[in-house]
Amino acid sequence: MNRRDAEKRARELRREIQHHDHLYHVLDAPEISDAQYDRLFRELREIEEVHPDLVTPDSPTQRVGGAPQTEFGAVRHSIPMLSLDNAFSVEEVREFDARVKRGLALAEDAAVDYVAEPKIDGLAIELVYEKGVFVRGSTRGDGTTGEDVTPNLRTVKTIPLRLRGDELPALLEVRGEVYFEKAKFADLNRAQEEAGKAPFANPRNAAAGSLRQLDVHVTASRPLRFFAYAIGSAEGIAFERHREMLDRFSAFGFHVNPLARDCHGIENVVVAYRNLHEKRESLPYEIDGMVIKVDRVDQQRRLGMKSRSPRWALAFKFEPIEATTVVDDILVQVGRAGVLTPVAAIEPVRVGGVEVSRATLHNQDEVTRKDVRIGDTVLVHRAGDVIPEVEKVVDPDRRGRGERFCMPEKCPVCGSGIVKIEDEVAHRCVNAACPAQVKERIRHFASKRAMDVEHLGDKTVEQLVERGFVKDVADLYALRKEQLVELELFGEKSADNLLAAIEKSKKTTLSRLLHGLGIRHVGEVTAKVLARAFPTVAAIEAASVDDLQRVREVGPELAAAIRQFFDEPLNRELVRRLEKVGLEIAPEERPAGGALEGKTFVFTGTLAMKREDAKALVESQGGHASGSVSAKTEYVVAGEDAGSKLDKAKKLGVKILTEAEFLELVKKAEASS
Ligand code: IVH
C-alpha cells in the first residue's frame, strides 16, 4: 500500500473504530463481534507501524501508551472549576428557588425551568478538545489549578478521543465526573486483597486512585467511566439551555446521565428528588444527591456566581451513607453455620437515614488489616440493604488505648472449640448444637422470605432455645400452649397468635422451605431455581452432584454444598421430621413458559401504573424488566416525559409501546398461557 492509500485507509479505520467504541461503551449496543472489532484494530495498528508519521493523537491505538511519568504537571483551568452550595432539606431548596426568582426579578409564583441530575460521587475533571480532538485533561485540584492526567484519561473508554460529527467547535472544554461502578469496585477490592494490597475505602477513592497513576497501564486496567455535565471555555459553539448542551454532549459521543430530568418549577424538582432517592440503591454507581441547575443559560449568566459557587445551581444532598463514630466494644457473633463474626458495638449514629449501633468487621483478617480497636474513632459505611461495616479508623495516630483484637479460642456462646479451615478466612464454632447457631437457624427458618412465621421475634426464639423447648426448626411445630405461656411477656392471647402463625406457615412452597433449611449458598433465588427443577425435597436429597449440575444455574460449588448438607445424617433426619408435621407444599409459581418468556422490557417516563406493578406483570408472564435500553431490549414502554431511553430505543429500532398497548399485550399473553 502506498502512503496515500495508507493514510486514507487509516483515517477510515479510525472513524470506524471510534464509531464502534461509541456503540459499545457509551450506547451499550455493539453492532459487530469482538473478533471483527479486533480485526479493524489490528489493521490500523499495522498501518501505523509501517507509517509512524500517520499516528494521530486521537487514534484509538493511542489509548494506552508511553513510559511511566515521574509526576503530574499542573494545569491552570481557563475558567475556575467551582463547587456547589449544599442543601439538605426541601425548605432549603425552596429558599434557593426564591433566591433565583429574586435574582431574575421574577414574580414569586413564577416557575423557573430547572434540570435536575444525579450528583455522581466520583472525581471532577476537565477535558479540552481543540477542533474536536482531545488534547488535555486535568483534575479539578483546588478549582484553579489541577493535575495534568491526559494520558490516564485517554484510557477511559467512555471519553471520546475525537468528538463525533462534522461541525466541531474550535475549542470545547467538557467537564464531568470520572467514577467507578459499585460492582467493579467490589471486584477491584477483592483483587487488591488477593494481591496483598490495601483495598480502597469507597468507589470515589478507587476512581481517584486509579486515575492518578503515574503508570497509565494501571489506569487502563481499571474500568473507569465518565459522565459529562458541565462546560468550561468554548469557541465556535454556544448553548441557550443546559439541556441543549447535554444533548450536544451526547451527540459528540459522551455519556450523559440518563436520569437528568427537566423540571418546570421547583415542586417538580422536589418530585424528581424523591424519585431519584428511591432509585439510589439500585443504581450501578454511587450518588450522593441531586444537582439542580437553572436550565436557561441567559438566566445562569444573570445570576452569576459567588466566590466559589454559582448562584444558579445547588446540590440537594442525600443523607450520607457514611458517618464517624466511636467503637465501644468488639463483640463476636456466631452465625447459623457457626461462623464467628467480629462486630463493632458503636455509639449510635445515623447513616443514610437509619440509626446504626452495630457495624460488622467481617473477620479476623479484616480487623487486623484495618487495625480497629476499642475506643477508636471509625468511619462506618452503609450501602443499600447490606449490613453496615466499619470502613476504617479515622484517627490512627491517637492509638494506644485498646488492645489489638484477637478471635477467641473458644466459642463465646457454647465454649466449644474453634476451627479455621485452610483457604477460608472464617473461624467456626464446631458445635452444631451451639445455642447461638440454633437460634440463628430458627430465626432464618421463620424469616419473612423463608417460612414467614409471624409473631416469632428474636426474644421469643431466644427463650424457646434457652428453655430447651426448641432444638431445631422441626420442634417449632411441636410447641404447646402450656410451654408458651411460661415465657416472659407471653399471655394466652399471644400464645394463641404464635401457634396460629406456626400452623399457617405449614402452607408454603418448596422454595421457601429450601431457603429456610439454611443450606450453604442456597439463598432465595437459588432455592427457586432448585424448586423449579425438582418436585420435592426428597428428590433433591436423592440427586447426585451430577444430577444437580444438570440444572443450568447450578455450578460445582453449589452442587457440592447441597450434597454435603444432605449427606449429614442429622439434616436428613430433620427433613424426615419436617415431612411428618404435615406441611402443605404448593407447586412452585412458574413464571417460566409465559408468553413473554425471554423478552426484555424497559419502562421509561411517567406511567399511570406503579413501576413495581408493571414489572410484576411482565415477570408473571416470564418476561424480564431492565433499567437500560440495549440491542437486546424487546419493548420500551414509554410514558409521559420519556427522555433519553426513548431516544435510544428509536435509534436502535426497539419497538415502542404506550402504556395502553403494553396492557393489551399482557392481556393477550395471559389469555394465551
Ligand atoms: S455541576 C458549576 N453536576 O459535585 C457547576 N457537579 O460540589 C459545577 N458533581 O466538584 C458542578 N455530579 O465533582 C455538577 N451532575 C453534576 C455533578 C457534579 C457530581 C460533583 C463535582 C463537583 C461537585 C460540586
Side-chain angles (χ1 to χ4, degrees):
M1 203 187 306
N2 65 33
R3 196 176 176 290
R4 265 272 278 304
D5 291 345
E7 186 171 7
K8 183 162 165 270
R9 181 66 186 145
R11 203 177 318 124
E12 277 167 17
L13 284 165
R14 277 198 287 273
R15 288 237 158 194
E16 216 171 315
I17 294 170
Q18 273 154 4
H19 172 67
H20 291 296
D21 274 344
H22 181 249
L23 287 174
Y24 185 92
H25 295 289
V26 179
L27 298 184
D28 196 13
E31 278 171 2
I32 60 172
S33 70
D34 290 359
Q36 285 168 308
Y37 179 87
D38 289 344
R39 265 199 296 283
L40 296 175
F41 205 93
R42 227 174 305 127
E43 189 185 343
L44 176 60
R45 191 175 298 145
E46 279 161 15
I47 296 177
E48 290 181 344
E49 264 161 22
V50 180
H51 304 281
D53 57 316
L54 291 182
V55 178
T56 58
D58 66 340
S59 172
T61 59
Q62 301 304 299
R63 282 210 183 263
V64 192
Q69 299 161 269
T70 47
E71 60 175 356
F72 299 111
V75 174
R76 217 184 144 80
H77 303 298
S78 59
I79 298 178
M81 289 180 77
L82 300 176
S83 61
L84 295 170
D85 284 351
N86 290 327
F88 294 91
S89 67
V90 173
E91 288 79 73
E92 287 174 81
V93 169
R94 292 195 180 117
E95 281 163 22
F96 161 77
D97 177 57
R99 276 198 304 279
V100 165
K101 283 186 253 187
R102 276 198 303 276
L104 296 171
L106 293 174
E108 257 174 50
D109 59 355
V112 175
D113 282 338
Y114 293 104
V115 175
E117 49 194 51
K119 185 167 186 306
I120 314 297
D121 203 2
L123 178 74
I125 56 148
E126 176 171 83
L127 307 169
V128 182
Y129 289 85
E130 287 172 4
K131 299 202 191 82
V133 176
F134 175 57
V135 294
R136 197 165 46 258
S138 54
T139 61
R140 174 170 180 271
D142 63 4
T144 312
T145 309
E147 284 173 320
D148 185 340
V149 283
T150 311
N152 309 73
L153 287 168
R154 276 189 200 288
T155 69
V156 179
K157 304 280 191 351
T158 44
I159 294 182
L161 297 180
R162 156 183 282 273
L163 302 180
R164 291 167 64 79
D166 300 321
E167 280 170 46
L168 298 173
L171 173 71
L172 180 66
E173 293 180 357
V174 175
R175 294 170 175 185
E177 204 86 353
V178 163
Y179 66 98
F180 222 100
E181 290 192 329
K182 293 184 210 166
K184 297 281 163 50
F185 165 70
D187 292 345
L188 172 66
N189 267 359
R190 224 170 289 130
Q192 288 283 105
E193 270 178 48
E194 272 165 26
K197 294 187 194 142
F200 291 98
N202 52 46
R204 182 186 50 240
N205 289 7
S210 300
L211 190 65
R212 298 183 63 262
Q213 288 282 340
L214 291 169
D215 181 355
V216 292
H217 292 89
V218 179
T219 309
S221 74
R222 306 274 172 81
L224 290 170
R225 299 176 70 86
F226 176 74
F227 276 128
Y229 55 63
I231 192 168
S233 303
E235 287 164 27
I237 190 165
F239 308 103
E240 284 180 10
R241 289 186 175 253
H242 181 70
R243 169 58 74 184
E244 183 197 349
M245 180 184 83
L246 294 180
D247 289 345
R248 279 307 291 278
F249 282 177
S250 239
F252 281 145
F254 291 98
H255 236 177
V256 168
N257 196 294
L259 299 175
R261 293 282 175 263
D262 297 319
C263 302
H264 184 63
I266 203 68
E267 292 316 311
N268 284 316
V269 170
V270 175
V271 173
Y273 177 81
R274 300 211 168 106
N275 289 338
L276 183 63
H277 191 265
E278 247 174 57
K279 290 205 180 85
R280 181 187 195 181
E281 312 224 318
S282 65
L283 293 177
Y285 43 83
E286 281 194 356
I287 60 175
D288 58 349
M290 190 173 85
V291 183
I292 308 166
K293 299 173 180 176
V294 169
D295 190 26
R296 278 173 51 178
V297 173
D298 62 320
Q299 293 184 334
Q300 292 180 358
R301 226 170 267 137
R302 277 163 61 202
L303 288 161
M305 54 192 219
K306 299 188 280 183
S307 63
R308 295 181 53 84
S309 56
R311 286 202 189 85
W312 49 266
L314 183 74
F316 190 177
K317 301 282 283 259
F318 295 142
E319 274 204 69
I321 52 169
E322 288 180 338
T324 48
T325 184
V326 174
V327 177
D328 288 336
D329 199 359
I330 298 180
L331 316 168
V332 174
Q333 286 182 351
V334 184
R336 58 177 204 267
V339 173
L340 267 50
T341 305
V343 174
I346 51 179
E347 311 239 308
V349 60
R350 275 179 78 80
V351 189
V354 176
E355 189 172 90
V356 171
S357 57
R358 296 274 161 101
T360 182
L361 288 158
H362 300 292
N363 54 55
Q364 174 73 65
D365 289 7
E366 278 291 284
V367 190
T368 309
R369 187 175 65 71
K370 294 174 181 161
D371 193 13
V372 179
R373 306 188 199 188
I374 296 171
D376 285 350
T377 300
V378 292
L379 190 65
V380 172
H381 184 100
R382 191 185 75 87
D385 293 334
V386 197
I387 304 164
E389 65 169 345
V390 174
E391 200 167 287
K392 63 174 181 184
V393 175
V394 186
D395 60 346
D397 303 335
R398 285 172 42 218
R399 282 287 166 73
R401 291 149 307 177
E403 299 273 306
R404 265 180 194 282
F405 170 82
C406 203
M407 208 55 114
E409 280 164 20
K410 299 248 174 281
C411 171
V413 177
C414 72
S416 303
I418 297 299
V419 291
K420 182 166 189 276
I421 299 169
E422 230 181 304
D423 300 336
E424 272 191 21
V425 285
H427 290 73
R428 287 169 196 273
C429 159
V430 294
N431 174 19
C434 169
Q437 292 191 37
V438 174
K439 282 176 203 166
E440 286 307 313
R441 284 200 290 268
I442 290 166
R443 261 185 218 140
H444 174 75
F445 182 81
S447 65
K448 203 156 180 58
R449 296 183 164 278
M451 297 294 280
D452 193 17
V453 184
E454 282 176 77
H455 308 295
L456 187 62
D458 287 357
K459 281 265 158 358
T460 309
V461 172
E462 216 150 274
Q463 294 186 61
L464 289 173
V465 173
E466 268 155 28
R467 296 204 172 217
F469 294 162
V470 173
K471 295 199 184 56
D472 59 35
V473 297
D475 286 345
L476 283 176
Y477 295 99
L479 277 174
R480 282 170 290 121
K481 191 166 171 185
E482 306 89 86
Q483 293 175 313
L484 292 182
V485 290
E486 266 184 46
L487 305 183
E488 254 171 67
L489 302 171
F490 260 76
E492 292 267 329
K493 181 108 176 71
S494 42
D496 284 337
N497 283 344
L498 178 54
L499 287 174
I502 293 174
E503 196 55 34
K504 192 171 143 209
S505 77
K506 287 183 181 174
K507 274 199 171 92
T508 188
T509 62
L510 182 54
S511 63
R512 282 179 174 275
L513 176 61
L514 283 170
H515 181 204
L517 286 176
I519 304 169
R520 214 166 162 208
H521 302 310
V522 180
E524 201 183 355
V525 176
T526 310
K528 282 196 176 143
V529 167
L530 291 170
R532 276 181 212 135
F534 295 90
T536 58
V537 181
I540 300 174
E541 186 178 328
S544 68
V545 167
D546 284 348
D547 294 337
L548 290 165
Q549 285 203 62
R550 243 168 254 136
V551 180
R552 187 153 54 97
E553 296 93 332
V554 177
E557 207 186 350
L558 174 59
I562 297 169
R563 213 36 275 154
Q564 200 182 0
F565 179 87
F566 287 108
D567 283 343
E568 167 61 46
L570 281 174
N571 290 336
R572 285 209 300 275
E573 192 207 308
L574 179 71
V575 171
R576 293 293 87 74
R577 285 174 44 227
L578 278 171
E579 281 166 356
K580 280 195 199 126
V581 303
L583 299 180
E584 285 175 51
I585 300 178
E588 207 57 33
E589 306 126 31
R590 279 191 68 116
L596 303 181
E597 170 94 62
K599 303 222 153 90
T600 300
F601 286 71
V602 173
F603 297 97
T604 179
T606 314
L607 301 176
M609 67 195 307
K610 278 204 196 134
R611 285 283 165 99
E612 300 109 84
D613 295 341
K615 200 169 156 216
L617 271 182
V618 167
E619 284 170 0
S620 73
Q621 292 303 315
H624 169 74
S626 162
S628 61
V629 180
S630 77
K632 292 191 197 105
T633 311
E634 185 84 18
Y635 296 105
V636 165
V637 182
E640 258 179 71
D641 290 332
S644 58
K645 282 188 203 172
L646 181 59
D647 297 341
K648 189 164 163 189
K650 283 182 190 155
K651 246 183 243 162
L652 294 176
V654 172
K655 276 167 254 164
I656 296 161
L657 302 178
T658 64
E659 188 170 357
E661 286 165 340
F662 164 67
L663 288 170
E664 197 57 35
L665 184 80
V666 173
K667 226 192 259 162
K668 269 195 210 135
E670 281 169 349
S672 73
S673 66

